[in-house]
Amino acid sequence: MRIAWFLWLVRHFNEYGYDDGPPRAAIGTCAVLLTAALLWSILHRNRPAAATAAVLTCSLGIGWLAIH
């Protein structure tokens, strides 16, 4: 599922605010993923909360990057 989502994102790269160029898109996406990983590590004792926080961070962050 993750691979399919990533392939979909690559296929529609220019349709959503990622057309500022691959370096800017990569920096923004890495920042969102790093933030999600940080939240996961902070909440690692409560696995459901950690997973929820990481998924919401990724979804909202990448969604925001795609729209803006």
Side-chain angles (χ1 to χ4, degrees):
M1 182 68 178
R2 291 179 190 167
I3 294 172
W5 174 81
F6 181 72
L7 291 174
W8 178 86
L9 185 63
V10 169
R11 198 174 322 132
H12 297 282
F13 193 74
N14 291 331
E15 295 177 15
Y16 301 96
Y18 285 110
D19 51 343
D20 289 336
R24 290 185 135 210
I27 291 169
T29 303
C30 287
V32 168
L33 295 176
L34 187 63
T35 304
L38 182 64
L39 282 173
W40 181 280
S41 68
I42 290 171
L43 299 171
H44 74 278
R45 291 183 185 234
N46 186 353
R47 192 172 183 145
T52 302
V55 167
L56 280 174
T57 301
C58 285
S59 300
L60 295 174
I62 293 175
W64 184 84
L65 286 171
I67 294 171
H68 291 88

